[in-house]
Amino acid sequence: MPIISVTNLRKAYGEHLVLRDVSLEVEAGEIVGVVGPNGAGKTTTVECIGGLRRADAGRIEVDGLDPSTNPARLREIVGMQLQECRLPAKITVTEALELYRSFYPAPRDAGELLERFGLAEHRRQRFGSLSGGQQQRLSVALALVGNPRIAILDELTTGLDPQARRDIWAFLGELQADGVTIVLVTHFMEEAQRLCDRVAVIDDGRVAAFDTPDALATATDGAQHLAFTPSLTISDADVDLMRALPGVASLTVTADRVAATGHDIATPVLMFLAERGITPLRLRVESPTLDDAYLSLTTSAKDGSQ
Amino acid sequence: MTSTATTKDADTARSAWSATRALLRNEARLLRREPAVVAWAVVLPLVAATVLANVPATRTPNADLGGWSFSQVYLPTLIIVTTSLLSVQALPALLAKYREDGILKRLRTTPASPTNLLVALFVLMGGVSAAVTLLMTLIPIVSGVPFRGNGLAFGLVVVLTIVSFTALGLLFAAVSPNSRFATGIGTVAFFVLAFFAGLWIPRSIFPETLATVADWTPSGAASRALLDSMHGDWPAVQSVLVLVLYAVVCAVVAARTFRWE
């Protein structure tokens, strides 16, 4: 049984329809990514799941609870990190953690969180004097301080340097090992690809696709890009033969570079070169990524429907 | 079943109290670090009370005031001004700023309830009002200007006044969408309260209809009850009822209409 189930969610702000029809199911212990263009409805979706907004239509169940009617119990099992939330400028890191600990029946150890989020040496520093990245890390720490069974994290690594981002990713991995279910709103496809068991692509108020990152990447007509510098000049006849190889959609030859695009073309092209005794130098092969999938699934947003 | 429910209720009650206490401690600490919000409401009345109690013209009994000194007759006004400034101006401004900065939205994701925060702010601001009032009452006494009247009644009315005004402030704080609105409504409310308390026109020369209306406002009821107790009487039932009614209605409506965002 899924721990989060969202069915036919619909939500408008005044005239503006933000969620047209969103359905999702998250299994316990999964890390699910929510990606999509700005304004597609990602934040609204997770805020409805967290009980911060009430949908106009549709049904949400979080561990058997309806977030819109039973928030008190929900708050104990769901930890949320939201965008555009601040703390009072003069509260210190430790004070904030201790304050938030006092709200929960079985909170995490503050010291452990300070260490994990690289805030130990800033524990006496006030929120207003922390850097953007430190504030962000504290915000994530506060979302986890209550020992939640479900963590909803909205753009948790935005504004973090690569090292801090990797540290937080590692911690999320450990949380998952502890059985915590994580819903992650993100703009970084790399983050979604590395962390998430499944990714929901939300576009224009609908779930455009919901699958594992690999399945998404290959399903969307994933073009492979291949480029190399041949060790010997390729004859025009051979160029034509290569264009006719299975899967090759296009092939161009410039001064010293050959570039090909198509479906699963690396093997036939490289075998063809081997037969001719040509070595592909400075070879680059790009497989379809979640980025490609994302772009092909969310084109409507780029067409200016926003 | 019953015993589990009771244990759960007790747990809930305990955690609600611990959240309120933690919020109160936190808010007190933040106020100590940033006293500007209340400085003016605290310092001004204390300076006024000290001056009035030490300048010969205002500390000695005055025949025009029926044998009272200015220091004595101004005490209720000072109490009402301080309490109004703290409750309807400082408190809503503080909470509206929290709302604007997303501090409340952040808090909303936790099991802490609006009531926890409202109670914490109520105790904090009410406490500041009470402390300043106590000082304003003691300053004349230590300066040699005696307190006249029914001390017990006076004390009880002061407590009721603070509770009632602070609840009114909580109501404004609960519904103000942003700090501009909070400052605006707080300023208007302050002038209205001060007016009905007789800050600009003394209550004794209010026309009859105005006096009747004033008696149904929290500040009119408070100043009437304070004056009654200074004349040695117990406050009129109506004054007490008005103060209690405002306190209860405002507190309940504040908790019900509280906006996180």
Side-chain angles (χ1 to χ4, degrees):
Chain A
M1 214 188 93
I3 194 164
I4 300 173
S5 108
V6 177
T7 324
N8 306 124
L9 212 59
R10 192 183 159 85
K11 170 86 183 168
Y13 295 123
E15 293 281 284
H16 183 54
L17 193 56
V18 181
L19 302 184
R20 291 169 196 278
D21 181 9
V22 170
S23 300
L24 284 177
E25 291 200 332
V26 178
E27 301 296 328
E30 254 191 319
I31 301 187
V32 164
V34 178
V35 303
N38 289 329
K42 305 183 297 286
T43 295
T44 304
T45 302
V46 297
E47 289 189 349
C48 285
I49 294 173
L52 300 183
R53 300 202 185 285
R54 189 186 281 261
D56 301 332
R59 217 169 49 83
I60 305 179
E61 239 179 65
V62 177
D63 197 29
L65 302 167
D66 177 352
S68 61
T69 60
N70 199 350
R73 169 96 185 90
L74 185 82
R75 299 275 163 260
E76 291 185 1
I77 59 164
V78 178
M80 297 185 81
Q81 179 255 324
L82 303 166
Q83 296 178 64
E84 283 161 19
C85 277
R86 300 181 56 77
L87 292 173
K90 305 228 163 155
I91 197 169
T92 70
V93 171
T94 305
E95 288 164 2
L97 276 170
E98 289 300 336
L99 177 65
Y100 276 65
R101 286 186 83 228
S102 76
F103 301 151
Y104 295 93
R108 268 178 189 276
D109 181 49
E112 173 215 337
L113 287 169
L114 285 170
E115 283 299 330
R116 172 52 73 174
F117 285 92
L119 292 166
E121 68 262 47
H122 305 289
R123 66 176 75 221
R124 271 182 257 283
Q125 221 168 311
R126 294 180 181 181
F127 183 78
S129 72
L130 296 176
S131 73
Q134 291 160 351
Q135 293 184 347
Q136 180 75 2
R137 278 181 274 154
L138 177 57
S139 177
V140 179
L142 290 179
L144 302 172
V145 79
N147 231 336
R149 294 182 49 205
I150 301 170
I152 297 176
L153 307 167
D154 196 350
E155 305 212 353
L156 85 158
T157 56
T158 303
L160 295 186
D161 60 57
Q163 185 56 48
R165 187 173 296 160
R166 266 149 223 273
D167 288 348
I168 290 191
W169 287 351
F171 187 49
L172 294 190
E174 286 171 34
L175 277 181
Q176 186 183 28
D178 289 348
V180 178
T181 308
I182 301 172
V183 178
L184 200 69
V185 176
T186 182
H187 267 133
F188 296 107
M189 292 307 129
E190 190 199 348
E191 185 165 287
Q193 192 142 23
R194 285 183 62 134
L195 282 180
C196 298
D197 299 306
R198 287 192 296 161
V199 175
V201 182
I202 295 193
D203 187 36
D204 199 21
R206 288 192 180 84
V207 179
F210 187 27
D211 213 329
T212 64
D214 286 343
L216 283 177
T218 44
T220 49
D221 214 16
Q224 206 173 41
H225 303 279
L226 188 76
F228 59 91
T229 304
S231 57
L232 305 166
T233 312
I234 307 177
S235 71
D236 287 351
D238 279 351
V239 169
D240 287 339
L241 283 174
M242 283 170 70
R243 284 205 172 107
L245 286 172
V248 175
S250 73
L251 187 141
T252 54
V253 182
T254 53
D256 66 335
R257 210 70 185 143
V258 178
T261 301
H263 201 78
D264 264 338
I265 56 172
T267 316
V269 169
L270 294 180
M271 281 173 68
F272 181 88
L273 292 175
E275 283 168 21
R276 296 287 186 279
I278 299 170
T279 312
L281 303 170
R282 297 198 288 121
L283 173 68
R284 282 181 62 101
V285 180
E286 281 173 22
S287 290
T289 62
L290 197 53
D291 256 322
D292 301 312
Y294 173 82
L295 289 173
S296 77
L297 285 165
T298 59
T299 42
S300 62
K302 286 186 299 183
D303 294 342
S305 68
Q306 311 261 334
Chain B
M1 243 357 244
T2 321
S3 71
T4 346
T6 320
T7 320
K8 189 140 179 45
D9 286 353
D11 274 358
T12 314
R14 193 173 334 113
S15 70
W17 170 236
S18 83
T20 305
R21 211 177 37 196
L23 283 164
L24 174 59
R25 202 169 43 221
N26 184 55
E27 289 305 320
R29 197 162 49 202
L30 293 176
L31 188 63
R32 213 165 49 231
R33 286 177 195 165
E34 200 158 23
V37 205
V38 298
W40 137 270
V42 168
V43 173
L44 204 70
L46 286 180
V47 169
T50 311
V51 170
L52 287 171
N54 288 286
V55 171
T58 54
R59 56 174 278 136
T60 47
N62 186 322
D64 291 342
L65 296 174
W68 293 76
S69 68
F70 276 103
S71 172
Q72 288 166 327
V73 296
Y74 264 104
L75 183 59
T77 311
L78 287 177
I79 291 172
I80 287 173
V81 166
T82 306
T83 310
S84 307
L85 285 173
L86 288 169
S87 59
V88 300
Q89 286 215 296
L91 181 52
L94 182 79
L95 203 64
K97 180 86 169 59
Y98 280 5
R99 188 172 289 121
E100 238 167 37
D101 288 351
I103 293 167
L104 296 186
K105 188 177 177 188
R106 190 74 188 73
L107 206 56
R108 188 185 177 194
T109 66
T110 72
S113 71
T115 314
N116 297 145
L117 181 63
L118 290 177
V119 169
L121 287 172
F122 179 90
V123 172
L124 178 66
M125 282 301 188
V128 175
S129 292
V132 178
T133 299
L134 186 65
L135 282 174
M136 284 191 303
T137 313
L138 290 178
I139 285 169
I141 297 173
V142 297
S143 306
V145 181
F147 176 83
R148 284 170 58 181
N150 183 341
L152 183 60
F154 186 83
L156 289 173
V157 172
V158 163
V159 170
L160 257 185
T161 302
I162 291 173
V163 168
S164 176
F165 281 36
T166 311
L168 185 64
L170 279 187
L171 176 59
F172 295 158
V175 299
S176 295
N178 53 52
S179 350
R180 263 212 335 261
F181 184 93
T183 311
I185 196 174
T187 307
V188 171
F190 170 74
F191 282 104
V192 171
L193 288 176
F195 174 79
F196 285 120
L199 183 60
W200 291 288
I201 316 168
R203 277 179 56 85
S204 51
I205 62 164
F206 273 11
E208 198 169 317
T209 36
L210 186 59
T212 313
V213 173
D215 286 345
W216 289 101
T217 66
S219 59
S223 87
R224 181 179 160 195
L226 287 171
L227 287 172
D228 283 348
S229 64
M230 284 175 63
H231 286 98
D233 301 326
W234 286 91
V237 175
Q238 187 199 347
S239 311
V240 174
L241 270 181
V242 167
L243 290 174
V244 170
L245 212 66
Y246 272 98
V248 173
V249 171
C250 290
V252 170
V253 177
R256 290 278 164 85
T257 57
F258 184 83
R259 306 162 42 128
W260 291 105
E261 291 178 49

